[in-house]
Amino acid sequence: VTGRPRKIQFGPWLTPCLKVLAKLRVLRGTVFDPFRWSQDRTLDRDLRYEYEQMLSKIESELSPQNHEIAVQLAALPADVRGYGAVREAAAHTMRRRRDELMAMLSSRP
């Protein structure tokens, strides 16, 4: 009904698998990361790139008059949490707010 996946429960048999995955955390971000092309990881990379671009633009337009807006912009990624549909919705909301604040940043002298 909501469009979100339903939560499911797993038994104790999954614990050893999760421990193995936890030890393989060192592979994150490398070519050996088995989840590097998952939707969440792709979104993470896209958001990181967008954030770096946004910081460059903030740096070039920063002034005492728009300092507060720049601080709000820099703090936006902290609102993107969760996994799957929850993370995508948070990213969508963050991007919309970012666009509003970027317009305000550019319009102030």
Side-chain angles (χ1 to χ4, degrees):
V1 175
T2 64
R4 288 174 148 182
R6 289 182 9 176
K7 290 186 177 183
I8 57 176
Q9 290 184 338
F10 295 97
W13 61 268
L14 190 62
T15 303
C17 299
L18 294 176
K19 287 182 180 182
V20 169
L21 283 176
K23 289 181 181 185
L24 294 176
R25 186 178 296 149
V26 296
L27 298 178
R28 272 193 199 161
T30 69
V31 295
F32 302 109
D33 183 357
F35 303 108
R36 71 181 171 273
W37 300 116
S38 71
Q39 194 170 2
D40 281 337
R41 294 281 173 82
T42 303
L43 177 62
D44 286 344
R45 282 191 300 272
D46 292 345
L47 290 174
R48 188 178 316 118
Y49 175 76
E50 291 171 13
Y51 186 67
E52 290 169 355
Q53 298 301 312
M54 181 184 69
L55 288 178
S56 295
K57 183 156 176 87
I58 289 172
E59 182 182 23
S60 68
E61 297 189 21
L62 187 60
S63 70
Q65 291 78 19
N66 62 18
H67 179 265
E68 185 175 324
I69 294 170
V71 170
Q72 290 177 27
L73 277 164
L76 281 176
D79 296 334
V80 181
R81 295 179 168 178
Y83 295 97
V86 173
R87 187 175 196 78
E88 288 176 24
H92 178 71
T93 302
M94 186 270 306
R95 285 173 168 154
R96 193 172 346 118
R97 181 71 178 139
R98 179 198 62 204
D99 293 343
E100 293 169 3
L101 289 171
M102 287 301 286
M104 292 171 61
L105 182 78
S106 298
S107 67
R108 294 223 175 150

